[in-house]
Amino acid sequence: MVTRGIRGATTVTQNNEEQILKETAVLLQEIVDRNDIKPEDICSVWITMTGDLDAAFPAKAIRQLEGWELVPLMCALEVPVKGALPKCIRFMVHVNTTKDQHEINHVYLNGAQSLRPDLAAPSNS
């Protein structure tokens, strides 16, 4: 078993708690579903947001999910690069897995699909 990183990103249209928490939960669920993982497989989740989002900690949405109470979560501010995608939430999920690197499914939703169109495959559901 090895530890792999799963990338994910999404955007919101407004800087409010409801949208930040909702889209955070949607992104996490897509990562879990597309990679067939469960909370006990997760080493940690690193979450960043762009500086224009300050209405909520996205980790709050994850901590409220059943089974995720003990998963280490960390929120940070994304590097403020001029011209970067606004209102963006990014994940780096560290997971223990037997999958090879090419078997990992990264998830890019909403406006974040523009960040990595090569990886922004549609949902399998």
Side-chain angles (χ1 to χ4, degrees), residues 24-94:
T24 296
V26 168
L27 178 59
L28 178 67
Q29 192 61 55
E30 282 293 319
I31 289 171
V32 166
D33 291 348
R34 293 186 196 187
N35 289 283
D36 191 30
I37 55 177
K38 48 193 178 298
E40 54 265 21
D41 298 331
I42 306 297
C43 300
S44 62
V45 181
W46 183 258
I47 308 159
T48 65
M49 292 194 309
T50 50
D52 51 3
L53 297 178
D54 61 4
F57 289 106
K60 179 179 178 181
I62 299 171
R63 285 190 189 102
Q64 294 173 350
L65 300 173
E66 184 176 339
W68 288 85
E69 302 87 356
L70 300 177
V71 175
L73 307 171
M74 178 65 71
C75 295
L77 185 62
E78 186 70 29
V79 176
V81 175
K82 289 182 183 180
L85 183 65
K87 296 185 178 70
C88 188
I89 302 166
R90 291 177 171 90
F91 282 14
M92 175 65 76
V93 179
H94 302 102

Side-chain angles (χ1 to χ4, degrees), residues 9-13 19-20 22-24 26-27 30 34 85-89 107-117 120-121:
T10 191
T11 56
V12 296
T13 58
Q19 274 203 11
I20 291 169
K22 176 183 176 278
E23 292 303 327
T24 296
V26 168
L27 178 59
E30 282 293 319
R34 293 186 196 187
L85 183 65
K87 296 185 178 70
C88 188
I89 302 166
V107 179
Y108 292 83
L109 303 175
N110 302 322
Q113 291 180 359
S114 67
L115 295 172
R116 289 297 304 265

